[in-house]
Amino acid sequence: MGDEALRKDVLDELGEDRIQELAGELGTDSDGAKQVVEATVDALPEDLTGAAAAPAGAVGLGGLGAGLGGGLLSGVLGKVTGPVAKAVAKKTGLPEASVARALELLLPVVMTTIAKRRRR
């Protein structure tokens, strides 16, 4: 379940400083923050995470994957934040409101990681 390599890449992209920042936002320790990162990657829709394995210019988000930016990216992330926050809160036992706030930090990092993987 989920993409173990993507989870690792996101954790690497975050680095220890941002993992600590995420932990502070969540009111947990770094292990708890890492658990949230992993649960978040697992909870993302396939058309977002599937883009990580697709070649550059391939479809994602109904064909929008290659051209995401600015307001469009914000709109897409806004639509997935609620369901992802709910799934992550259920899996980790953390309050949904805290998870939703933490996703504001985490989701752009996930999308950056996916974009980097697509360019490889």
Side-chain angles (χ1 to χ4, degrees):
M1 175 164 22
D3 182 339
E4 189 173 329
L6 179 57
R7 289 191 300 262
K8 182 188 178 317
D9 287 349
V10 171
L11 288 168
D12 289 347
E13 182 74 26
L14 280 167
E16 283 304 313
D17 288 344
R18 287 200 279 178
I19 289 171
Q20 288 301 322
E21 182 181 346
L22 184 62
E25 184 68 40
L26 292 163
T28 188
D29 59 12
S30 70
D31 287 338
K34 289 175 183 177
Q35 202 174 34
V36 167
V37 171
E38 293 170 357
T40 298
V41 170
D42 290 346
L44 288 171
E46 178 65 30
D47 46 347
L48 276 178
T49 60
V59 296
L61 299 170
L64 301 173
L68 284 179
L72 180 57
L73 180 58
S74 296
V76 169
L77 292 181
K79 288 181 182 177
V80 300
T81 298
V84 170
K86 186 176 205 145
V88 171
K90 183 176 181 181
K91 185 171 184 175
T92 63
L94 293 168
E96 189 175 332
S98 296
V99 172
R101 284 191 309 274
L103 289 180
E104 292 175 15
L105 168 72
L106 183 55
L107 287 177
V109 175
V110 172
M111 297 308 294
T112 297
T113 303
I114 289 171
K116 284 182 177 182
R117 291 178 84 192
R118 290 183 66 219
R119 286 191 294 263
R120 286 187 205 156

mmCIF file of all heavy atoms in Angstrom, residues 68-114:
data_model
loop_
_atom_site.group_PDB
_atom_site.id
_atom_site.type_symbol
_atom_site.label_atom_id
_atom_site.label_comp_id
_atom_site.label_asym_id
_atom_site.label_seq_id
_atom_site.Cartn_x
_atom_site.Cartn_y
_atom_site.Cartn_z
ATOM 1 N N LEU A 68 0.786 21.970 -13.832
ATOM 2 C CA LEU A 68 0.328 22.517 -12.561
ATOM 3 C C LEU A 68 1.211 23.669 -12.120
ATOM 4 O O LEU A 68 2.418 23.613 -12.199
ATOM 5 C CB LEU A 68 0.351 21.437 -11.472
ATOM 6 C CG LEU A 68 -0.765 20.423 -11.535
ATOM 7 C CD1 LEU A 68 -0.600 19.413 -10.419
ATOM 8 C CD2 LEU A 68 -2.116 21.074 -11.457
ATOM 9 N N GLY A 69 0.567 24.697 -11.635
ATOM 10 C CA GLY A 69 1.319 25.817 -11.105
ATOM 11 C C GLY A 69 0.369 26.834 -10.530
ATOM 12 O O GLY A 69 -0.809 26.844 -10.838
ATOM 13 N N GLY A 70 0.879 27.678 -9.663
ATOM 14 C CA GLY A 70 0.124 28.793 -9.119
ATOM 15 C C GLY A 70 -1.247 28.427 -8.588
ATOM 16 O O GLY A 70 -1.397 27.550 -7.770
ATOM 17 N N GLY A 71 -2.262 29.129 -9.094
ATOM 18 C CA GLY A 71 -3.624 28.963 -8.614
ATOM 19 C C GLY A 71 -4.188 27.580 -8.863
ATOM 20 O O GLY A 71 -4.947 27.068 -8.060
ATOM 21 N N LEU A 72 -3.833 26.967 -10.003
ATOM 22 C CA LEU A 72 -4.329 25.629 -10.294
ATOM 23 C C LEU A 72 -3.836 24.637 -9.258
ATOM 24 O O LEU A 72 -4.598 23.826 -8.743
ATOM 25 C CB LEU A 72 -3.901 25.194 -11.698
ATOM 26 C CG LEU A 72 -4.346 23.804 -12.143
ATOM 27 C CD1 LEU A 72 -5.862 23.674 -12.073
ATOM 28 C CD2 LEU A 72 -3.856 23.524 -13.539
ATOM 29 N N LEU A 73 -2.563 24.717 -8.916
ATOM 30 C CA LEU A 73 -2.009 23.833 -7.897
ATOM 31 C C LEU A 73 -2.702 24.055 -6.566
ATOM 32 O O LEU A 73 -3.067 23.102 -5.881
ATOM 33 C CB LEU A 73 -0.497 24.055 -7.752
ATOM 34 C CG LEU A 73 0.212 23.198 -6.707
ATOM 35 C CD1 LEU A 73 0.009 21.718 -6.993
ATOM 36 C CD2 LEU A 73 1.683 23.527 -6.678
ATOM 37 N N SER A 74 -2.932 25.307 -6.210
ATOM 38 C CA SER A 74 -3.622 25.614 -4.956
ATOM 39 C C SER A 74 -5.016 25.022 -4.946
ATOM 40 O O SER A 74 -5.463 24.488 -3.932
ATOM 41 C CB SER A 74 -3.718 27.130 -4.749
ATOM 42 O OG SER A 74 -2.448 27.676 -4.612
ATOM 43 N N GLY A 75 -5.708 25.108 -6.074
ATOM 44 C CA GLY A 75 -7.055 24.561 -6.162
ATOM 45 C C GLY A 75 -7.067 23.047 -5.995
ATOM 46 O O GLY A 75 -7.908 22.495 -5.295
ATOM 47 N N VAL A 76 -6.126 22.382 -6.649
ATOM 48 C CA VAL A 76 -6.039 20.923 -6.548
ATOM 49 C C VAL A 76 -5.716 20.518 -5.116
ATOM 50 O O VAL A 76 -6.353 19.637 -4.545
ATOM 51 C CB VAL A 76 -4.980 20.367 -7.528
ATOM 52 C CG1 VAL A 76 -4.694 18.899 -7.257
ATOM 53 C CG2 VAL A 76 -5.443 20.566 -8.960
ATOM 54 N N LEU A 77 -4.728 21.184 -4.518
ATOM 55 C CA LEU A 77 -4.351 20.847 -3.145
ATOM 56 C C LEU A 77 -5.495 21.144 -2.185
ATOM 57 O O LEU A 77 -5.720 20.394 -1.233
ATOM 58 C CB LEU A 77 -3.086 21.603 -2.733
ATOM 59 C CG LEU A 77 -1.816 21.182 -3.458
ATOM 60 C CD1 LEU A 77 -0.632 21.982 -2.962
ATOM 61 C CD2 LEU A 77 -1.554 19.700 -3.344
ATOM 62 N N GLY A 78 -6.232 22.224 -2.444
ATOM 63 C CA GLY A 78 -7.378 22.550 -1.606
ATOM 64 C C GLY A 78 -8.426 21.462 -1.625
ATOM 65 O O GLY A 78 -9.051 21.156 -0.607
ATOM 66 N N LYS A 79 -8.607 20.849 -2.778
ATOM 67 C CA LYS A 79 -9.615 19.790 -2.904
ATOM 68 C C LYS A 79 -9.193 18.495 -2.231
ATOM 69 O O LYS A 79 -10.041 17.742 -1.775
ATOM 70 C CB LYS A 79 -9.936 19.535 -4.375
ATOM 71 C CG LYS A 79 -10.734 20.653 -4.986
ATOM 72 C CD LYS A 79 -11.060 20.390 -6.427
ATOM 73 C CE LYS A 79 -11.830 21.580 -6.975
ATOM 74 N NZ LYS A 79 -12.121 21.446 -8.383
ATOM 75 N N VAL A 80 -7.900 18.217 -2.171
ATOM 76 C CA VAL A 80 -7.465 16.956 -1.567
ATOM 77 C C VAL A 80 -7.154 17.096 -0.081
ATOM 78 O O VAL A 80 -7.121 16.099 0.632
ATOM 79 C CB VAL A 80 -6.252 16.320 -2.291
ATOM 80 C CG1 VAL A 80 -6.568 16.019 -3.731
ATOM 81 C CG2 VAL A 80 -5.002 17.124 -2.146
ATOM 82 N N THR A 81 -6.943 18.318 0.397
ATOM 83 C CA THR A 81 -6.539 18.502 1.787
ATOM 84 C C THR A 81 -7.539 17.913 2.770
ATOM 85 O O THR A 81 -7.156 17.192 3.684
ATOM 86 C CB THR A 81 -6.295 19.995 2.099
ATOM 87 O OG1 THR A 81 -5.233 20.461 1.263
ATOM 88 C CG2 THR A 81 -5.907 20.200 3.551
ATOM 89 N N GLY A 82 -8.816 18.197 2.594
ATOM 90 C CA GLY A 82 -9.835 17.703 3.531
ATOM 91 C C GLY A 82 -9.865 16.185 3.628
ATOM 92 O O GLY A 82 -9.722 15.622 4.722
ATOM 93 N N PRO A 83 -10.043 15.487 2.491
ATOM 94 C CA PRO A 83 -10.074 14.020 2.548
ATOM 95 C C PRO A 83 -8.766 13.404 3.054
ATOM 96 O O PRO A 83 -8.778 12.428 3.800
ATOM 97 C CB PRO A 83 -10.344 13.604 1.105
ATOM 98 C CG PRO A 83 -10.965 14.791 0.461
ATOM 99 C CD PRO A 83 -10.393 15.990 1.174
ATOM 100 N N VAL A 84 -7.639 13.989 2.656
ATOM 101 C CA VAL A 84 -6.345 13.459 3.109
ATOM 102 C C VAL A 84 -6.191 13.685 4.607
ATOM 103 O O VAL A 84 -5.768 12.792 5.344
ATOM 104 C CB VAL A 84 -5.174 14.077 2.305
ATOM 105 C CG1 VAL A 84 -3.833 13.727 2.936
ATOM 106 C CG2 VAL A 84 -5.226 13.605 0.860
ATOM 107 N N ALA A 85 -6.548 14.873 5.086
ATOM 108 C CA ALA A 85 -6.451 15.171 6.523
ATOM 109 C C ALA A 85 -7.303 14.190 7.324
ATOM 110 O O ALA A 85 -6.876 13.688 8.371
ATOM 111 C CB ALA A 85 -6.883 16.602 6.810
ATOM 112 N N LYS A 86 -8.486 13.912 6.834
ATOM 113 C CA LYS A 86 -9.378 12.974 7.527
ATOM 114 C C LYS A 86 -8.764 11.571 7.586
ATOM 115 O O LYS A 86 -8.749 10.931 8.635
ATOM 116 C CB LYS A 86 -10.731 12.943 6.821
ATOM 117 C CG LYS A 86 -11.767 12.130 7.512
ATOM 118 C CD LYS A 86 -13.112 12.245 6.787
ATOM 119 C CE LYS A 86 -14.192 11.956 7.786
ATOM 120 N NZ LYS A 86 -15.379 12.741 7.566
ATOM 121 N N ALA A 87 -8.237 11.105 6.460
ATOM 122 C CA ALA A 87 -7.625 9.768 6.405
ATOM 123 C C ALA A 87 -6.392 9.678 7.296
ATOM 124 O O ALA A 87 -6.200 8.695 8.019
ATOM 125 C CB ALA A 87 -7.265 9.418 4.962
ATOM 126 N N VAL A 88 -5.548 10.717 7.274
ATOM 127 C CA VAL A 88 -4.326 10.721 8.074
ATOM 128 C C VAL A 88 -4.675 10.789 9.564
ATOM 129 O O VAL A 88 -4.082 10.079 10.385
ATOM 130 C CB VAL A 88 -3.394 11.875 7.660
ATOM 131 C CG1 VAL A 88 -2.225 12.022 8.622
ATOM 132 C CG2 VAL A 88 -2.886 11.657 6.231
ATOM 133 N N ALA A 89 -5.642 11.625 9.920
ATOM 134 C CA ALA A 89 -6.059 11.725 11.323
ATOM 135 C C ALA A 89 -6.584 10.386 11.823
ATOM 136 O O ALA A 89 -6.269 9.967 12.942
ATOM 137 C CB ALA A 89 -7.118 12.815 11.478
ATOM 138 N N LYS A 90 -7.357 9.726 10.997
ATOM 139 C CA LYS A 90 -7.911 8.420 11.391
ATOM 140 C C LYS A 90 -6.788 7.396 11.595
ATOM 141 O O LYS A 90 -6.798 6.646 12.565
ATOM 142 C CB LYS A 90 -8.882 7.927 10.317
ATOM 143 C CG LYS A 90 -9.564 6.643 10.662
ATOM 144 C CD LYS A 90 -10.583 6.252 9.600
ATOM 145 C CE LYS A 90 -11.264 4.957 9.996
ATOM 146 N NZ LYS A 90 -12.238 4.546 8.990
ATOM 147 N N LYS A 91 -5.802 7.418 10.695
ATOM 148 C CA LYS A 91 -4.711 6.443 10.778
ATOM 149 C C LYS A 91 -3.764 6.725 11.944
ATOM 150 O O LYS A 91 -3.260 5.806 12.570
ATOM 151 C CB LYS A 91 -3.939 6.425 9.461
ATOM 152 C CG LYS A 91 -2.860 5.363 9.413
ATOM 153 C CD LYS A 91 -2.265 5.235 8.042
ATOM 154 C CE LYS A 91 -1.264 4.094 8.000
ATOM 155 N NZ LYS A 91 -0.753 3.864 6.655
ATOM 156 N N THR A 92 -3.518 8.014 12.227
ATOM 157 C CA THR A 92 -2.518 8.368 13.239
ATOM 158 C C THR A 92 -3.104 8.678 14.608
ATOM 159 O O THR A 92 -2.377 8.718 15.589
ATOM 160 C CB THR A 92 -1.701 9.596 12.788
ATOM 161 O OG1 THR A 92 -2.581 10.720 12.654
ATOM 162 C CG2 THR A 92 -0.961 9.323 11.489
ATOM 163 N N GLY A 93 -4.406 8.980 14.653
ATOM 164 C CA GLY A 93 -5.030 9.350 15.921
ATOM 165 C C GLY A 93 -4.829 10.811 16.299
ATOM 166 O O GLY A 93 -5.254 11.234 17.370
ATOM 167 N N LEU A 94 -4.206 11.583 15.425
ATOM 168 C CA LEU A 94 -4.014 13.012 15.680
ATOM 169 C C LEU A 94 -5.278 13.774 15.295
ATOM 170 O O LEU A 94 -6.034 13.329 14.438
ATOM 171 C CB LEU A 94 -2.823 13.531 14.874
ATOM 172 C CG LEU A 94 -1.462 12.980 15.294
ATOM 173 C CD1 LEU A 94 -0.406 13.314 14.249
ATOM 174 C CD2 LEU A 94 -1.067 13.548 16.649
ATOM 175 N N PRO A 95 -5.497 14.940 15.899
ATOM 176 C CA PRO A 95 -6.688 15.733 15.566
ATOM 177 C C PRO A 95 -6.678 16.154 14.094
ATOM 178 O O PRO A 95 -5.652 16.610 13.573
ATOM 179 C CB PRO A 95 -6.593 16.955 16.473
ATOM 180 C CG PRO A 95 -5.634 16.582 17.553
ATOM 181 C CD PRO A 95 -4.707 15.560 16.964
ATOM 182 N N GLU A 96 -7.825 16.033 13.449
ATOM 183 C CA GLU A 96 -7.938 16.366 12.036
ATOM 184 C C GLU A 96 -7.546 17.820 11.757
ATOM 185 O O GLU A 96 -6.887 18.113 10.754
ATOM 186 C CB GLU A 96 -9.366 16.098 11.562
ATOM 187 C CG GLU A 96 -9.547 16.205 10.079
ATOM 188 C CD GLU A 96 -10.933 15.811 9.618
ATOM 189 O OE1 GLU A 96 -11.600 14.987 10.276
ATOM 190 O OE2 GLU A 96 -11.359 16.342 8.577
ATOM 191 N N ALA A 97 -7.920 18.731 12.640
ATOM 192 C CA ALA A 97 -7.584 20.150 12.432
ATOM 193 C C ALA A 97 -6.067 20.359 12.438
ATOM 194 O O ALA A 97 -5.534 21.128 11.625
ATOM 195 C CB ALA A 97 -8.243 21.013 13.502
ATOM 196 N N SER A 98 -5.357 19.669 13.320
ATOM 197 C CA SER A 98 -3.892 19.781 13.366
ATOM 198 C C SER A 98 -3.269 19.198 12.104
ATOM 199 O O SER A 98 -2.326 19.769 11.540
ATOM 200 C CB SER A 98 -3.332 19.049 14.587
ATOM 201 O OG SER A 98 -3.778 19.645 15.771
ATOM 202 N N VAL A 99 -3.791 18.071 11.674
ATOM 203 C CA VAL A 99 -3.279 17.436 10.457
ATOM 204 C C VAL A 99 -3.510 18.355 9.258
ATOM 205 O O VAL A 99 -2.617 18.541 8.431
ATOM 206 C CB VAL A 99 -3.922 16.051 10.235
ATOM 207 C CG1 VAL A 99 -3.539 15.484 8.877
ATOM 208 C CG2 VAL A 99 -3.525 15.084 11.344
ATOM 209 N N ALA A 100 -4.688 18.963 9.169
ATOM 210 C CA ALA A 100 -4.993 19.855 8.046
ATOM 211 C C ALA A 100 -4.023 21.033 8.011
ATOM 212 O O ALA A 100 -3.544 21.414 6.936
ATOM 213 C CB ALA A 100 -6.436 20.345 8.135
ATOM 214 N N ARG A 101 -3.710 21.607 9.170
ATOM 215 C CA ARG A 101 -2.737 22.710 9.215
ATOM 216 C C ARG A 101 -1.353 22.228 8.794
ATOM 217 O O ARG A 101 -0.629 22.912 8.070
ATOM 218 C CB ARG A 101 -2.680 23.334 10.610
ATOM 219 C CG ARG A 101 -3.861 24.227 10.922
ATOM 220 C CD ARG A 101 -3.658 25.033 12.194
ATOM 221 N NE ARG A 101 -3.266 24.244 13.355
ATOM 222 C CZ ARG A 101 -4.104 23.621 14.178
ATOM 223 N NH1 ARG A 101 -5.395 23.705 13.979
ATOM 224 N NH2 ARG A 101 -3.643 22.937 15.204
ATOM 225 N N ALA A 102 -0.971 21.047 9.238
ATOM 226 C CA ALA A 102 0.340 20.500 8.882
ATOM 227 C C ALA A 102 0.426 20.205 7.384
ATOM 228 O O ALA A 102 1.501 20.328 6.784
ATOM 229 C CB ALA A 102 0.616 19.240 9.698
ATOM 230 N N LEU A 103 -0.690 19.847 6.773
ATOM 231 C CA LEU A 103 -0.687 19.552 5.342
ATOM 232 C C LEU A 103 -0.367 20.790 4.514
ATOM 233 O O LEU A 103 0.141 20.674 3.400
ATOM 234 C CB LEU A 103 -2.026 18.956 4.905
ATOM 235 C CG LEU A 103 -2.304 17.535 5.395
ATOM 236 C CD1 LEU A 103 -3.663 17.060 4.905
ATOM 237 C CD2 LEU A 103 -1.214 16.563 4.992
ATOM 238 N N GLU A 104 -0.621 21.973 5.056
ATOM 239 C CA GLU A 104 -0.255 23.202 4.355
ATOM 240 C C GLU A 104 1.257 23.270 4.156
ATOM 241 O O GLU A 104 1.730 23.817 3.160
ATOM 242 C CB GLU A 104 -0.752 24.425 5.116
ATOM 243 C CG GLU A 104 -2.253 24.553 5.127
ATOM 244 C CD GLU A 104 -2.738 25.713 5.980
ATOM 245 O OE1 GLU A 104 -1.922 26.593 6.344
ATOM 246 O OE2 GLU A 104 -3.934 25.730 6.286
ATOM 247 N N LEU A 105 2.024 22.728 5.079
ATOM 248 C CA LEU A 105 3.470 22.647 4.961
ATOM 249 C C LEU A 105 3.883 21.435 4.122
ATOM 250 O O LEU A 105 4.769 21.521 3.278
ATOM 251 C CB LEU A 105 4.108 22.535 6.359
ATOM 252 C CG LEU A 105 5.583 22.153 6.416
ATOM 253 C CD1 LEU A 105 6.453 23.321 5.951
ATOM 254 C CD2 LEU A 105 5.975 21.741 7.816
ATOM 255 N N LEU A 106 3.207 20.334 4.330
ATOM 256 C CA LEU A 106 3.631 19.061 3.756
ATOM 257 C C LEU A 106 3.264 18.878 2.285
ATOM 258 O O LEU A 106 4.094 18.408 1.499
ATOM 259 C CB LEU A 106 3.031 17.917 4.593
ATOM 260 C CG LEU A 106 3.412 16.502 4.193
ATOM 261 C CD1 LEU A 106 4.920 16.326 4.155
ATOM 262 C CD2 LEU A 106 2.788 15.518 5.174
ATOM 263 N N LEU A 107 2.068 19.242 1.875
ATOM 264 C CA LEU A 107 1.642 18.954 0.508
ATOM 265 C C LEU A 107 2.497 19.645 -0.559
ATOM 266 O O LEU A 107 2.820 19.006 -1.570
ATOM 267 C CB LEU A 107 0.158 19.269 0.322
ATOM 268 C CG LEU A 107 -0.783 18.268 1.006
ATOM 269 C CD1 LEU A 107 -2.230 18.699 0.840
ATOM 270 C CD2 LEU A 107 -0.577 16.858 0.468
ATOM 271 N N PRO A 108 2.909 20.890 -0.374
ATOM 272 C CA PRO A 108 3.806 21.461 -1.387
ATOM 273 C C PRO A 108 5.138 20.698 -1.504
ATOM 274 O O PRO A 108 5.679 20.573 -2.595
ATOM 275 C CB PRO A 108 4.033 22.896 -0.890
ATOM 276 C CG PRO A 108 2.812 23.199 -0.089
ATOM 277 C CD PRO A 108 2.461 21.899 0.590
ATOM 278 N N VAL A 109 5.617 20.170 -0.401
ATOM 279 C CA VAL A 109 6.853 19.380 -0.435
ATOM 280 C C VAL A 109 6.617 18.074 -1.199
ATOM 281 O O VAL A 109 7.460 17.653 -1.998
ATOM 282 C CB VAL A 109 7.375 19.103 0.989
ATOM 283 C CG1 VAL A 109 8.584 18.173 0.962
ATOM 284 C CG2 VAL A 109 7.721 20.406 1.687
ATOM 285 N N VAL A 110 5.470 17.454 -0.973
ATOM 286 C CA VAL A 110 5.132 16.226 -1.700
ATOM 287 C C VAL A 110 5.078 16.516 -3.198
ATOM 288 O O VAL A 110 5.644 15.770 -4.008
ATOM 289 C CB VAL A 110 3.793 15.629 -1.206
ATOM 290 C CG1 VAL A 110 3.357 14.468 -2.091
ATOM 291 C CG2 VAL A 110 3.908 15.183 0.244
ATOM 292 N N MET A 111 4.427 17.610 -3.574
ATOM 293 C CA MET A 111 4.306 17.942 -4.998
ATOM 294 C C MET A 111 5.677 18.276 -5.602
ATOM 295 O O MET A 111 5.952 17.896 -6.742
ATOM 296 C CB MET A 111 3.326 19.101 -5.183
ATOM 297 C CG MET A 111 1.906 18.778 -4.731
ATOM 298 S SD MET A 111 1.228 17.254 -5.426
ATOM 299 C CE MET A 111 1.130 17.705 -7.142
ATOM 300 N N THR A 112 6.529 18.949 -4.853
ATOM 301 C CA THR A 112 7.883 19.239 -5.325
ATOM 302 C C THR A 112 8.652 17.939 -5.544
ATOM 303 O O THR A 112 9.356 17.781 -6.550
ATOM 304 C CB THR A 112 8.633 20.127 -4.301
ATOM 305 O OG1 THR A 112 7.944 21.365 -4.200
ATOM 306 C CG2 THR A 112 10.080 20.351 -4.699
ATOM 307 N N THR A 113 8.502 17.014 -4.619
ATOM 308 C CA THR A 113 9.180 15.722 -4.729
ATOM 309 C C THR A 113 8.703 14.967 -5.954
ATOM 310 O O THR A 113 9.507 14.394 -6.702
ATOM 311 C CB THR A 113 8.942 14.888 -3.454
ATOM 312 O OG1 THR A 113 9.394 15.644 -2.324
ATOM 313 C CG2 THR A 113 9.674 13.555 -3.514
ATOM 314 N N ILE A 114 7.394 14.974 -6.189
ATOM 315 C CA ILE A 114 6.846 14.300 -7.370
ATOM 316 C C ILE A 114 7.396 14.948 -8.630
ATOM 317 O O ILE A 114 7.812 14.252 -9.572
ATOM 318 C CB ILE A 114 5.303 14.322 -7.327
ATOM 319 C CG1 ILE A 114 4.801 13.380 -6.232
ATOM 320 C CG2 ILE A 114 4.715 13.947 -8.691
ATOM 321 C CD1 ILE A 114 3.309 13.482 -5.945
#
